[in-house]
Amino acid sequence: MFKFLTFLGLATSVAGHIHHRTCGVRDLTAEEFEAAESHRHSILQSTQERVKGATINVYFHVITNTSGAGNIPDSQLSAQIDVLNAAYAPGGWKFVQAGKDVTANNDWYVMEPGTRAEKECKTTLRKGNADDLNLYTANIGGGLLGWATFPKDYSKDPEMDGVVILYSSFPGGSARHYDEGDTGTHEVGHWMGLYHTFQGGCREFGGGDGVADTPAEKQANYECPSDSTDSCPSDPGNDPVHNFMDYVYDACMYEFTPGQFDRITEEFTAYRAGK
């Protein structure tokens, strides 16, 4: 089984000021993409009912350093839940806070993907099953804004399942242009089975991101580009510059497509529901 983590990074100049998002994850090759799609389809062939929306429990794991930096008030956690619900409600999904813990650990506070610190943090704190969202917040290292695991990763490494995001990207945080909570929306999108809208570029394979109604996109868009942006003029449609799975400012990303919700239904049914 293939395993892909998403690493959503950012370039910074001074604390709280983020120039733009960049991604360290490599695109899937055509062979890897088709293998992953075939695996899901084979599971769904023996599944009669699809999970078209559900209530998802969210366990917040707030990591601070031993001086208390990185703590997030309950009001911001509640606001993040509201942001997720606003984004995913059209697909029938609802998020509810099921728990919160605060841990002071200097190593975990600056964890990076694939490190001993990340593994120790997650294996110690993770709660629930495959259909429970564990959301870790910290002052993550490596210049990263966040990362997530995909649904198909769960069976191979369940303790590592979840989403990790920079604590200052919560609603009302200090990450300028990325302080409305949509880093959470984006990363949860990966956790629900979505790829970036620009995966595959103009020469998309299998729909690029596996979704037919997200137009081809040569590369990521940043900041707040024009609605008329069309990086693949030979393909139908303009770039999906307001999609949550692109890299624009929080204020400029505000939609999923029906096709993305259909993909979430399939991914959640195959890999998370009741697992």
Side-chain angles (χ1 to χ4, degrees):
M1 179 178 293
F2 299 106
K3 181 178 181 180
F4 300 98
L5 288 178
T6 64
F7 306 144
L8 183 60
L10 46 97
T12 62
S13 58
V14 295
H17 183 77
I18 299 167
H19 290 305
H20 58 74
R21 314 181 198 239
T22 57
C23 186
V25 68
R26 67 176 179 84
D27 284 343
L28 279 67
T29 65
E31 293 76 17
E32 290 167 342
F33 180 88
E34 294 300 337
E37 295 295 284
S38 295
H39 186 266
R40 186 183 74 251
H41 291 156
S42 67
I43 293 175
L44 292 174
Q45 284 180 353
S46 60
T47 306
Q48 294 182 350
E49 295 185 7
R50 299 290 189 268
V51 181
K52 297 183 177 180
T55 297
I56 296 175
N57 291 325
V58 181
Y59 294 96
F60 286 109
H61 306 291
V62 179
I63 312 302
T64 72
N65 66 14
T66 51
S67 298
N71 200 9
I72 299 176
D74 289 345
S75 59
Q76 281 186 287
L77 300 182
S78 178
Q80 181 66 70
I81 292 290
D82 290 342
V83 169
L84 293 176
N85 282 330
Y88 289 92
W93 300 94
K94 181 180 180 181
F95 296 83
V96 297
Q97 182 174 337
K100 168 196 171 184
D101 50 63
V102 181
T103 304
N105 185 300
N106 289 334
D107 292 332
W108 298 359
Y109 182 59
V110 293
M111 64 178 161
E112 298 179 27
T115 61
R116 178 180 175 182
E118 182 199 15
K119 185 172 182 63
E120 289 180 348
C121 175
K122 288 184 171 181
T123 56
T124 300
L125 299 178
R126 194 187 186 283
K127 298 179 180 179
N129 301 309
D131 50 6
D132 296 311
L133 172 61
N134 282 254
L135 202 160
Y136 303 82
T137 76
N139 191 32
I140 52 180
L144 296 172
L145 188 55
W147 66 89
T149 56
F150 288 105
K152 58 186 172 58
D153 299 333
Y154 181 83
S155 62
K156 183 178 180 180
D157 205 355
E159 290 185 331
M160 297 302 290
D161 183 69
V163 167
V164 184
I165 64 175
L166 184 70
Y167 80 94
S168 57
S169 69
F170 270 63
S174 61
R176 185 183 176 199
H177 297 307
Y178 306 99
D179 56 358
E180 298 182 16
D182 283 321
T183 292
T185 306
H186 179 104
E187 296 300 343
V188 170
H190 290 310
W191 185 82
M192 300 281 276
L194 298 180
Y195 296 122
H196 295 127
T197 52
F198 48 85
Q199 179 170 282
C202 294
R203 294 192 295 179
E204 293 190 330
F205 49 84
D209 59 351
V211 178
D213 61 359
T214 56
E217 196 174 0
K218 185 177 182 180
Q219 65 234 339
N221 281 286
Y222 301 99
E223 301 182 358
C224 285
S226 168
D227 288 358
S228 62
T229 301
D230 187 4
S231 60
C232 298
S234 296
D235 296 311
N238 294 333
D239 289 11
V241 297
H242 299 300
N243 197 280
F244 286 117
M245 302 312 293
D246 205 343
Y247 275 5
V248 299
Y249 289 160
D250 279 15
C252 295
M253 56 166 56
Y254 50 74
E255 63 187 10
F256 288 120
T257 67
Q260 286 175 311
F261 282 125
D262 288 343
R263 181 178 179 85
I264 286 173
T265 290
E266 292 198 355
E267 288 277 324
F268 208 87
T269 300
Y271 298 113
R272 293 204 179 280
K275 304 296 192 296

